[in-house]
Amino acid sequence: MNLKTIFGIALAMSLAFSCKNESKTNNDSTSDTVETKKDAAAFDYTVEQFADIKILRYQIPGWENLTLKEQKLVYYLTQAGLAGRDIMWDQNYRHNLEIRKALETVYTNYTGDKSSEDWKAFENYLKRVWFSSGIHHHYSNDKLKADFSQDYLKSLLAETNAQLEGEAFDVIFNDKDMRKVDQSKGVDNVALSAVNFYGPEVTTADVEKFYKNKKSPNPHRPLSFGLNSKLVKENGVLKELVYKSGGLYGAAIDEITKWLKLAQGVAENKAQGDALGLLIQYYKTGDLQTWDDYNVAWTAATAGNVDYINGFIEVYNDPVGYRGSYESIVQINDFDMSQKMKVLSDNAQWFEDNSPLMDEHKKKNVVGVTYKVVNVAGEAGDASPSTPIGVNLPNANWIRAEVGSKSVSLGNIIEAYNNAGSTGRVQEFVNDQEELELEINYGQQADKLHTALHEVIGHASGQLNPGVGETKETLKNYASTLEEGRADLVGLYYLYNPKLQELGLVEDWKKTGMAAYDRYIRNGLMTQLIRLNLGDDVVQAHMRNRMWVSAWVFEKGKKDNVIEKITRNGKTYYNINDYEKLHDLFGQLLRETQRIKSEGDYKAVEKLVETYGVKVDQELHKEILKRNEQFPDAPYSGFVNPVLVPEMDDKGEITAIKVTQPESYKGQMLDYGKAYNFLRTEK
């Protein structure tokens, strides 16, 4: 599971929920901290802004402290990740690669008038397509609107000898394939989703029937059926096209494994090298048992300075939660911060034992939970340009229970967010000066701890009842939002707890918890709505979970006026009157969400999400959008990657690797399109 920008930092201060656009408060007065701030001030984190997107850049702290061998490992792993970049594009939509290549040809070869409004609209559209790895918005999943005409695009194609015709051309302008992922109630979610995980004739009923008949050799260790394949119909018969060498996406996968083999040759230790070997074998065969074997080995390989994520992993883009999107993150351990935060994973059993879950839903023995703060060295696929801020893997419940999991917070990504924004929105949406001061003094710390608790304790907590299937089978299209809400609730429950101060994680647990509750309710009920067009329902899984959590506790606390809705000068605010009772309400909802997951209660999760997490108060939404007009910052952010440049000797051996920054967002996107173009258009 991961906390994408969408979870916390993405809207940052602009949503008054996270710390991206917030001026960083740090009570540590050491000279080292002062120098860090000076360095941050000297580095330009902002690249450009367009549409609803801000492009940032990040540094790689500690790079110079790595040995050359470790730097080679990072370089090879980042190249492996980028080699699979086009897989994500094709997974997102069947015509994405064809469209991108045509638009890039136009962009690089057009010599006509570039001052016209049409050209500016074309350039803006291409930048948005790059950011979303396709023609559907990276977050809302709605098809991007082209603010130029068909005739204008035809003229550009003709003038640059670019080819784009038929359905691939028409879909840019028509009303087909309007949403990449459609998880609406009462429709065929597979048939109505444009994502390229299923053939055009495959229905939700087909998927459920196909996988209902799949049996794992060991029912206690179920395989992740469907994770690495496309399900199609051939002559009326359902068939999986497996992602592997010689199979679907084989050309890109062969490039991935080429670089993984080089990485294996400079592995830091045997455990890391063995895990890489299993990953290579998995890519060659597509075998799901090998995937599980790899995840067990990868989870246990915790030593060393360098780690990585690579594979078909998160299932958010599949409307029914089977298929994994390609993703790569390469990371360097921040030992000082990791040691400070290690206390969370060391106390995982205490958190489980003291949670409000029913006893039968608690794990009796929480094993193998590790937590590190890391610095990203490169990202690709589903992790770029829009990136997570925290990750907890593997996703298989049985591996979490028997072996454990790895949790990381992406420290330099969070740092870049903190240094790249402005502070206006929070003042607009807080209810009073007390709430503002809590946010200023404790907001960033609360956000970082919520991320850590969500990933380390939240996703690792709880267990399924014996005989209950995986959540993708039992909770279906509500599985993702239920899991993210459940992990959020674990974090919220413990953020207002003296245990955090006892463990040395905060100086004032009560004020930290109050700041966390303020920002969560503020975001869930109000400020995240700036991401929606007026009239839209909430469809994205993380937005839904923040809304149903916030709306549920608001309604259940009305009797005691726990959260008060205030209207002042035509503006709406939410004020928490009783933090103790709100803490109890979060605990009650956590207990219920774990019960739903443990028992596989589809009717209950459907009622919870549809009642509290989908429909938007249109008058409130209109007000929020109007109040937000005064702020220029875009609601979404993402990153260009640093460029790792190897220096060679006469024998072709790497003698050094330098870190440089790309000159521009468009430059990096065009470079990637040329350098990692390993797939032909795959339908």
Side-chain angles (χ1 to χ4, degrees):
M1 301 288 173
N2 71 44
L3 282 176
K4 293 281 273 190
T5 327
I6 51 186
F7 166 61
I9 296 291
L11 286 186
M13 206 59 152
S14 65
L15 288 191
F17 170 68
S18 179
C19 52
K20 162 183 132 180
N21 288 342
E22 178 180 347
S23 57
K24 190 170 183 179
T25 56
N26 192 329
N27 294 324
D28 187 346
S29 60
T30 65
S31 59
D32 182 57
T33 302
V34 173
E35 288 303 314
T36 300
K37 289 182 178 180
K38 287 181 180 178
D39 292 343
F43 184 77
D44 185 4
Y45 287 91
T46 301
V47 178
E48 69 168 301
Q49 183 169 312
F50 54 87
D52 57 353
I53 303 296
K54 180 189 281 190
I55 302 296
L56 308 176
R57 57 171 65 92
Y58 60 91
Q59 298 173 292
I60 310 178
W63 176 259
E64 66 282 356
N65 297 327
L66 298 179
T67 66
L68 179 58
K69 182 181 178 183
E70 290 167 336
Q71 290 181 353
K72 287 180 180 180
L73 176 60
V74 172
Y75 174 68
Y76 295 148
L77 288 170
T78 56
Q79 290 300 305
L82 288 166
R85 173 179 182 258
D86 276 6
I87 296 175
M88 186 71 243
W89 281 77
D90 194 71
Q91 286 183 316
N92 276 341
Y93 183 58
R94 65 187 180 279
H95 292 305
N96 274 341
L97 288 175
E98 187 178 355
I99 292 170
R100 189 194 79 200
K101 290 170 184 178
L103 299 185
E104 288 180 346
T105 299
V106 168
Y107 196 67
T108 54
N109 294 305
Y110 181 64
T111 58
D113 182 7
K114 295 185 179 180
S115 63
S116 71
E117 291 303 313
D118 279 337
W119 176 259
K120 293 176 183 177
F122 171 82
E123 183 178 40
N124 188 69
Y125 180 75
L126 176 55
K127 288 179 179 180
R128 298 184 74 193
V129 169
W130 278 330
F131 191 86
S132 296
S133 298
I135 66 169
H136 297 89
H137 195 278
H138 75 286
Y139 196 82
S140 72
N141 290 311
D142 291 334
K143 189 162 67 174
L144 300 173
K145 184 178 184 296
D147 292 322
F148 50 86
S149 69
Q150 297 186 49
D151 288 342
Y152 181 70
L153 181 55
K154 286 179 180 178
S155 71
L156 293 179
L157 294 168
E159 290 183 48
T160 56
N161 293 316
Q163 299 295 316
L164 187 65
E165 54 192 18
E167 188 179 62
F169 178 93
D170 294 339
V171 76
I172 295 174
F173 303 98
N174 63 25
D175 60 356
K176 294 183 179 179
D177 296 331
M178 293 298 289
R179 181 168 288 169
K180 184 175 74 173
V181 184
D182 192 325
Q183 292 189 315
S184 302
K185 179 183 177 181
V187 301
D188 190 322
N189 300 119
V190 169
L192 288 182
S193 296
V195 70
N196 195 24
F197 286 144
Y198 300 97
E201 298 178 359
V202 178
T203 66
T204 301
D206 288 331
V207 179
E208 292 175 352
K209 182 178 179 181
F210 185 82
Y211 289 107
K212 186 176 182 180
N213 295 325
K214 292 278 188 181
K215 303 298 180 185
S216 297
N218 183 344
H220 300 295
R221 296 178 174 180
L223 299 175
S224 300
F225 290 121
L227 187 71
N228 64 334
S229 66
K230 179 178 179 178
L231 188 64
V232 300
K233 269 187 181 178
E234 292 185 357
N235 299 318
V237 178
L238 290 168
K239 175 184 177 181
E240 287 183 319
L241 304 179
V242 179
Y243 312 150
K244 65 176 182 176
S245 178
L248 189 58
Y249 304 135
I253 287 172
D254 287 343
E255 285 291 324
I256 295 170
T257 56
K258 178 187 80 174
W259 290 104
L260 289 178
K261 288 176 183 176
L262 291 171
Q264 187 182 25
V266 291
E268 296 177 274
N269 50 64
K270 186 177 184 300
Q272 189 182 70
D274 289 347
L276 282 166
L278 285 167
L279 180 58
I280 292 166
Q281 186 65 18
Y282 162 68
Y283 272 130
K284 287 182 176 180
T285 64
D287 181 68
L288 289 171
Q289 183 58 62
T290 304
W291 172 247
D292 279 356
D293 294 343
Y294 159 71
N295 275 286
V296 169
W298 175 82
T299 302
T302 57
N305 293 334
V306 178
D307 208 347
Y308 63 95
I309 294 163
N310 189 294
F312 307 104
I313 299 173
E314 302 293 358
V315 298
Y316 302 116
N317 286 321
D318 183 346
V320 287
Y322 281 87
R323 306 189 132 67
S325 297
Y326 176 77
E327 176 181 2
S328 171
I329 303 174
V330 183
Q331 58 213 32
I332 301 166
N333 192 15
D334 182 332
F335 282 96
D336 289 340
M337 285 303 299
S338 295
Q339 189 59 38
K340 290 177 183 177
M341 299 300 290
K342 184 175 179 289
V343 66
L344 276 181
S345 51
D346 288 346
N347 284 273
Q349 190 65 59
W350 182 92
F351 287 106
E352 184 77 354
D353 292 344
N354 289 275
S355 74
L357 308 185
M358 300 177 190
D359 287 342
E360 60 267 30
H361 298 156
K362 294 181 182 180
K363 287 180 179 175
K364 302 302 183 286
N365 184 26
V366 179
V367 298
V369 176
T370 64
Y371 176 58
K372 294 180 179 179
V373 178
V374 300
N375 291 314
V376 172
E379 299 178 311
D382 200 29
S384 180
S386 178
T387 172
I389 57 169
V391 183
N392 176 271
L393 292 172
N395 284 332
N397 284 308
W398 76 262
I399 297 179
R400 291 175 184 272
E402 293 186 22
V403 182
S405 62
K406 287 181 179 178
S407 295
V408 295
S409 289
L410 310 187
N412 58 336
I413 297 296
I414 295 172
E415 183 70 14
Y417 279 127
N418 289 345
N419 284 284
S422 59
T423 61
R425 281 190 181 92
V426 69
Q427 296 179 358
E428 173 64 33
F429 291 103
V430 295
N431 177 56
D432 53 27
Q433 186 64 26
E434 179 186 7
E435 186 177 338
L436 178 61
E437 290 178 359
L438 282 170
E439 176 62 37
I440 291 171
N441 294 321
Y442 299 95
Q444 285 193 33
Q445 182 181 45
D447 183 70
K448 289 180 180 179
L449 273 175
H450 195 186
T451 299
L453 287 163
H454 175 112
E455 297 291 355
V456 184
I457 307 302
H459 284 309
S461 71
Q463 62 184 3
L464 300 180
N465 287 359
V468 173
E470 294 294 300
T471 54
K472 64 187 177 186
E473 300 163 350
T474 59
L475 305 184
K476 302 178 183 180
N477 53 312
Y478 299 108
S480 292
T481 191
L482 190 283
E483 177 58 23
E484 293 306 317
R486 191 187 67 85
D488 264 9
L489 284 162
V490 171
L492 290 166
Y493 185 74
Y494 283 116
L495 276 165
Y496 195 76
N497 191 300
K499 184 69 173 180
L500 297 185
Q501 192 164 333
E502 177 188 323
L503 295 175
L505 292 169
V506 297
E507 292 185 359
D508 189 323
W509 67 268
K510 186 165 286 189
K511 289 184 178 178
T512 301
M514 291 168 68
Y517 284 13
D518 286 342
R519 60 170 37 207
Y520 197 91
I521 296 301
R522 197 164 60 232
N523 185 31
L525 295 180
M526 287 197 303
T527 51
Q528 70 170 349
L529 298 180
I530 70 171
R531 293 181 162 196
L532 298 179
N533 295 317
L534 190 63
D536 287 352
D537 288 342
V538 180
V539 296
Q540 203 278 337
H542 295 76
M543 282 189 71
R544 279 187 170 187
N545 92 242
R546 291 193 293 268
M547 187 172 176
W548 60 252
V549 168
S550 301
W552 189 94
V553 294
F554 173 65
E555 181 181 283
K556 300 302 180 183
K558 279 184 176 179
K559 176 184 175 183
D560 297 319
N561 202 27
V562 175
I563 304 171
E564 183 180 3
K565 184 178 181 180
I566 296 171
T567 301
R568 186 170 61 248
N569 299 324
K571 296 181 179 181
T572 302
Y573 305 90
Y574 287 90
N575 187 64
I576 301 172
N577 293 317
D578 195 326
Y579 292 91
E580 296 283 351
K581 288 184 178 178
L582 181 54
H583 171 262
D584 292 343
L585 287 169
F586 283 138
Q588 293 172 33
L589 185 55
L590 171 57
R591 181 184 177 95
E592 172 62 7
T593 55
Q594 182 61 57
R595 184 200 67 77
I596 289 171
K597 179 180 179 179
S598 295
E599 297 178 4
D601 190 340
Y602 179 81
K603 288 185 178 180
V605 72
E606 180 184 53
K607 182 178 179 181
L608 175 65
V609 176
E610 294 294 337
T611 302
Y612 298 102
V614 176
K615 295 299 179 182
V616 178
D617 181 327
Q618 294 303 305
E619 288 302 313
L620 176 62
H621 192 189
K622 185 186 298 183
E623 174 200 321
I624 298 301
L625 292 176
K626 183 67 176 176
R627 291 165 68 181
N628 186 62
E629 288 176 356
Q630 63 187 294
F631 304 111
D633 266 7
Y636 302 99
S637 294
F639 290 84
V640 291
N641 287 307
V643 182
L644 304 182
V645 183
E647 297 179 356
M648 309 283 193
D649 61 17
D650 294 339
K651 298 179 182 179
E653 295 291 328
I654 296 176
T655 59
I657 300 175
K658 304 298 183 185
V659 178
T660 65
Q661 291 291 336
E663 292 184 4
S664 66
Y665 168 65
K666 65 182 181 182
Q668 181 158 90
M669 294 298 99
L670 291 170
D671 287 345
Y672 282 175
K674 294 174 184 176
Y676 306 105
N677 179 23
F678 300 118
L679 293 182
R680 299 190 177 191
T681 305
E682 304 202 34
K683 305 297 184 187

